C-alpha cells in the first residue's frame, strides 16, 4: 500500500526519463516476495540482515533461515529462544524529484528522525522535513529523479495479540 501511494503521486507529476517513469508508475514494481506471498494467502516476512557490504550479513541471514526452519519444525534442531525485535511498517515513500535533491547527512536504514527534523533539501533549496517521528529506511543518495529516494517507517503492532 505504501508503494501504491507513491505510484499515485508519480502519476500526478511524472519526473525523470520516460522509461523510468513508466516502470515506477506500475504498482507491481513495488511488489516483492513478502507482498506476493501474502497476496496468495500465505504468510511471509522481511528480515533485514545488514548492509550489503557488511561481512556479517550472510551469517545473520543463514542463522535466521536455520532458526526459522527449527521454529517451524522443518529441521531437527531445538526451537531457538525468542529474541528482541523491532517491527516496523513502511508508511511513506519519498521520491527524488531532481538529481540535485540531496540528503542533509549520510542516512542509514533505520536511523530515527524526529518530527520536523531536516532530512534533506530539494534542488530548489526547500527543506525536506520529517513529517512525524519515524525511521528512515532504504535511503538512496544515488537515486535518479523519479525514483524512490527513501521510505519512512513507524513501529508496528502487527504480531501482537495474534494479529497477522
Amino acid at each position: 500500500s505504501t508503494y501504491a501511494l507513491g505510484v499515485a503521486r508519480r502519476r500526478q507529476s511524472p519526473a525523470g526519463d520516460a522509461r523510468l517513469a513508466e516502470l515506477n508508475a506500475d504498482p507491481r514494481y513495488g511488489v516483492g516476495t513478502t507482498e506476493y506471498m501474502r497476496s496468495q494467502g500465505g504468510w511471509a516476512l522481511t528480515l533485514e540482515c545488514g548492509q550489503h557490504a557488511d561481512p556479517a550479513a550472510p551469517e545473520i541471514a543463514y542463522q535466521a533461515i536455520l532458526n526459522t526452519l527449527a521454529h517451524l519444525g522443518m529441521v531437527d534442531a531445538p526451537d531457538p529462544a525468542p529474541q528482541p525485535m523491532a517491527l516496523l511498517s513502511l508508511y511513506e515513500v519519498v521520491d527524488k524529484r531532481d538529481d540535485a535533491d540531496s540528503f542533509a547527512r549520510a542516512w542509514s536504514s533505520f536511523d530515527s528522525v524526529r518530527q520536523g527534523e531536516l532530512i534533506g533539501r530539494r534542488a530548489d533549496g526547500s527543506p525536506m522535513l520529517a513529517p512525524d517521528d519515524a525511521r528512515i529506511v532504504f535511503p538512496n543518495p544515488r537515486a535518479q529523479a523519479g525514483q524512490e529516494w527513501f521510505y519512512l517507517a513507524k513501529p508496528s503492532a502487527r504480531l501482537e495479540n495474534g494479529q497477522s
Side-chain angles (χ1 to χ4, degrees), residues 59-145:
E59 182 61 24
I60 292 169
Y62 180 74
Q63 288 302 316
I65 291 167
L66 287 180
N67 287 343
T68 301
L69 293 172
H71 178 70
L72 295 173
M74 298 174 77
V75 295
D76 186 22
D79 194 6
Q83 298 293 312
M85 63 179 157
L87 296 172
L88 299 173
S89 177
L90 298 177
Y91 73 94
E92 182 71 65
V93 57
V94 178
D95 291 341
K96 200 168 194 184
R97 294 182 189 158
D98 187 287
D99 287 334
D101 290 352
S102 61
F103 285 122
R105 67 178 185 89
W107 295 102
S108 295
S109 274
F110 310 112
D111 281 346
S112 295
V113 292
R114 305 296 293 169
Q115 183 177 21
E117 185 175 347
L118 181 66
I119 295 173
R121 292 204 177 271
R122 295 292 186 182
D124 66 3
S126 62
M128 171 56 66
L129 304 175
D132 307 292
D133 290 351
R135 301 281 184 114
I136 289 187
V137 182
F138 308 132
N140 184 0
R142 293 184 300 271
Q144 297 173 355

Side-chain angles (χ1 to χ4, degrees), residues 8 13 24 33 57 110 118 122 125 164:
S13 58
N24 289 329
T33 305
F110 310 112
L118 181 66
R122 295 292 186 182
S164 60

